Amino acid sequence: MERDKENKRNVVDYQTNEESCLLPSNNRDQTKLPRTASKRRKVLFMIACMMQQGMSMGIGFGLSVMYAELIIVFNENRSKVALIQSIYMALATGAGIFFTAAIKKIGPGRSMLIGGIFSCIGLFASSFSEGLTAIILCTGVIASIGMGLCYLASFISVTWMFHENAGIYLVILTLGSSLGQFIVPLLYEIFIEKYTWSGAFILMAGIALQTVPFGVIVHCSKQYFVTGVGDKTSTMCDMSVLKDFVIWIILLNFHIAALTGNFEAWFIVDLSISRGFSREAGSVLVSALGFANIIGRMLGGIIRFNCKSIPTVYHWVYLCLILAVGHVLIVNIFDYWGLFTICVLYGIPFGVLSSQIAAIMFETTSLDKYPQAMAISNMALGLANIYSGQIGGSIKDSLGEYDLAFYIAAGLSLYASLTTIVVAFFVRKRKKLQISSQTSTAVKYELLK
């Protein structure tokens, strides 16, 4: 009888981990299932999490408009001004690794409340800065750490709420980032035009504070969470997910995507100014990228929904090739509407690619390891953001143009495409072994019955 029960548990465990190709979990059956949330609750919950993404990433992408303004205001080198956006994006995406245990302990909803208030303080203080260093500290460090809490907490929240099929919802979640990239740069432009850069920081602080009420919505939904964690570890980050070399290849490709993928969004305003267009025209190009990202992330959701049997990482093979072409075209088109068209055509595949990062990590780990895995992948993205802006800014300062930066981006995108083929091979091989193992276990169980 005991042997019969044990085999039954093994079958359930294998079935539960059907989508986790690389790192299966051993703790799923230790979590008590909560009540099921209503459809209305789930929709409101998704909106709340998407708003966290929109605020955190929108403020960062909007700094490309502020970048062009602060170069003139403080008469500083581009490489130094780029530190504001570089450090902000690095910490907003990567700082969550230092707070993973705290988010799991106090809950993602409370983490969003704390992060929103912290970010508001940093942006508000930036408006009173008399030099670039103070802005780097207040916006680049303080505000970004607060948004880093909101950013990672939204990913964790979605996996805990939609634990049965989180991959699709994680793709949908990333729509928030594109909405932020589309809307917030336009707000920066309006605020700078009417209230100067100082007033713009004050108003952006108010926008950052909007994460608080949406954090309350997430907190009030905690009774519907399934954490999948049997052992509530207090460690800062469980590094067991790094024992697989395939994970390392994936993380390196994430790093490359963050390093090169945002060159267009970061430098398109300054690039357009250098070609004789106005800052306002450059802001429109940033928003065009954001709008194209929205379309791309929606397309990413459709692809994920209709290709459930295909591992998400497969799509990076052709997406990286398309991005390589886009990097080359952006510096070889000089007509404004030509640039606008390239921004849209580039933004769509980049939106698809970006939307798949969280789903790839979910598919290659497991529910209980996902918070740590996502924190590590965010750190890979964040580290790239630290020196991504410096590379572009330094090349512009030294050579007077951004061309070399975009050609480097094209080369790295080709590399990511080739290495993804290797990842796809091992993922397919391991999935076959997993299916074979599941079938064998099921047969043994039937014989024991």
Side-chain angles (χ1 to χ4, degrees):
M1 181 64 70
E2 290 297 323
R3 188 176 180 183
D4 183 46
K5 291 181 178 179
E6 180 66 26
N7 279 281
K8 187 175 181 180
R9 279 196 298 270
N10 288 336
V11 173
V12 173
D13 187 60
Y14 273 108
Q15 291 172 343
T16 307
N17 286 283
E18 186 176 355
E19 291 189 352
S20 301
C21 302
L22 306 182
L23 298 173
S25 169
N26 295 318
N27 298 319
R28 290 181 186 274
D29 58 344
Q30 299 178 21
T31 304
K32 185 178 178 181
L33 293 177
R35 293 181 296 158
T36 302
S38 64
K39 290 183 179 180
R40 186 175 300 176
R41 166 76 67 171
K42 289 180 178 179
V43 170
L44 186 61
F45 183 88
M46 277 300 301
I47 292 173
C49 291
M50 288 172 65
M51 289 301 296
Q52 303 295 327
Q53 292 269 310
M55 301 294 181
S56 55
M57 291 296 98
I59 290 173
F61 282 113
L63 286 172
S64 60
V65 180
M66 188 66 76
Y67 165 78
E69 178 69 10
L70 295 180
I71 290 172
I72 300 171
V73 171
F74 293 104
N75 194 26
E76 292 280 2
N77 292 332
R78 287 171 173 81
S79 57
K80 185 175 181 180
V81 179
L83 278 173
I84 301 171
Q85 191 172 26
S86 297
I87 296 174
Y88 177 93
M89 294 296 287
L91 294 179
T93 54
I97 193 170
F98 302 110
F99 305 109
T100 307
I103 293 172
K104 292 165 68 175
K105 184 175 181 180
I106 68 175
R110 288 196 183 101
S111 300
M112 292 171 182
L113 299 179
I114 296 171
I117 295 172
F118 208 67
S119 182
C120 175
I121 293 172
L123 289 167
F124 187 80
S126 296
S127 66
F128 301 100
S129 302
E130 296 182 356
L132 200 61
T133 303
I135 298 176
I136 293 172
L137 177 63
C138 294
T139 296
V141 179
I142 297 175
S144 63
I145 289 176
M147 283 302 175
L149 276 169
C150 299
Y151 185 71
L152 180 59
S154 62
F155 284 112
I156 295 175
S157 300
V158 169
T159 56
W160 287 357
M161 173 67 86
F162 305 99
H163 55 94
E164 294 178 347
N165 191 13
I168 293 175
Y169 294 98
L170 286 169
V171 172
I172 296 172
L173 171 66
T174 61
L175 271 170
S177 297
S178 294
L179 287 168
Q181 185 181 354
F182 171 56
I183 297 171
V184 178
L186 293 176
L187 294 179
Y188 268 98
E189 178 59 41
I190 294 170
F191 295 160
I192 292 173
E193 184 69 25
K194 292 189 175 182
Y195 307 106
T196 74
W197 67 270
S198 180
F201 272 120
I202 294 177
L203 293 172
M204 292 312 300
I207 290 177
L209 199 61
Q210 301 309 305
T211 58
V212 172
F214 291 105
V216 172
I217 293 173
V218 173
H219 178 68
C220 293
S221 302
K222 64 180 181 179
Q223 67 268 31
Y224 303 104
F225 290 165
V226 173
T227 64
V229 180
D231 178 22
K232 296 192 175 183
T233 178
S234 60
T235 58
M236 182 181 297
C237 186
D238 180 7
M239 294 296 177
S240 63
V241 296
L242 298 178
K243 294 180 180 179
D244 196 306
F245 78 96
V246 176
I247 295 291
W248 279 99
I249 299 175
I250 291 172
L251 289 174
L252 179 58
N253 286 342
F254 286 176
H255 186 75
I256 290 172
L259 176 65
T260 62
N262 287 324
F263 274 3
E264 280 75 6
W266 286 28
F267 302 120
I268 195 64
V269 177
D270 195 44
L271 180 67
S272 63
I273 291 174
S274 67
R275 293 181 177 178
F277 306 115
S278 65
R279 190 193 65 220
E280 292 81 0
S283 301
V284 172
L285 294 178
V286 176
S287 292
L289 280 166
F291 180 74
N293 262 268
I294 295 173
I295 298 174
R297 291 180 195 260
M298 292 174 65
L299 182 59
I302 294 171
I303 291 173
R304 180 64 181 80
F305 183 79
N306 291 301
C307 304
K308 295 179 181 178
S309 61
I310 301 176
T312 307
V313 73
Y314 283 22
H315 301 292
W316 276 46
V317 176
Y318 62 86
L319 287 172
C320 289
L321 288 175
I322 296 173
L323 295 184
V325 175
H327 288 312
V328 173
L329 290 177
I330 202 76
V331 291
N332 287 286
I333 301 294
F334 297 91
D335 175 69
Y336 179 79
W337 290 110
L339 280 176
F340 184 90
T341 303
I342 294 301
C343 286
V344 173
L345 295 179
Y346 174 86
I348 292 174
F350 184 66
V352 176
L353 181 140
S354 300
S355 72
Q356 295 172 342
I357 290 176
I360 289 172
M361 290 310 297
F362 182 76
E363 291 175 7
T364 53
T365 56
S366 58
L367 183 61
D368 57 329
K369 293 182 180 292
Y370 180 78
Q372 291 82 10
M374 195 62 214
I376 293 172
S377 65
N378 282 344
M379 185 180 72
L381 302 174
L383 287 174
N385 286 325
I386 290 178
Y387 60 91
S388 177
Q390 300 309 299
I391 292 174
S394 297
I395 289 175
K396 172 65 174 177
D397 287 335
S398 301
L399 303 179
E401 57 186 20
Y402 288 106
D403 293 26
L404 179 60
F406 286 97
Y407 286 126
I408 291 173
L412 289 175
S413 296
L414 289 174
Y415 167 83
S417 177
L418 293 174
T419 54
T420 300
I421 296 174
V422 177
V423 172
F425 170 78
F426 282 102
V427 168
R428 182 176 181 180
K429 183 178 179 180
R430 295 179 186 187
K431 191 171 184 179
K432 285 183 177 180
L433 290 173
Q434 184 188 35
I435 293 173
S436 176
S437 179
Q438 290 176 6
T439 303
S440 177
T441 303
V443 169
K444 289 179 182 179
Y445 173 67
E446 289 296 326
L447 291 174
L448 287 169
K449 287 175 65 178

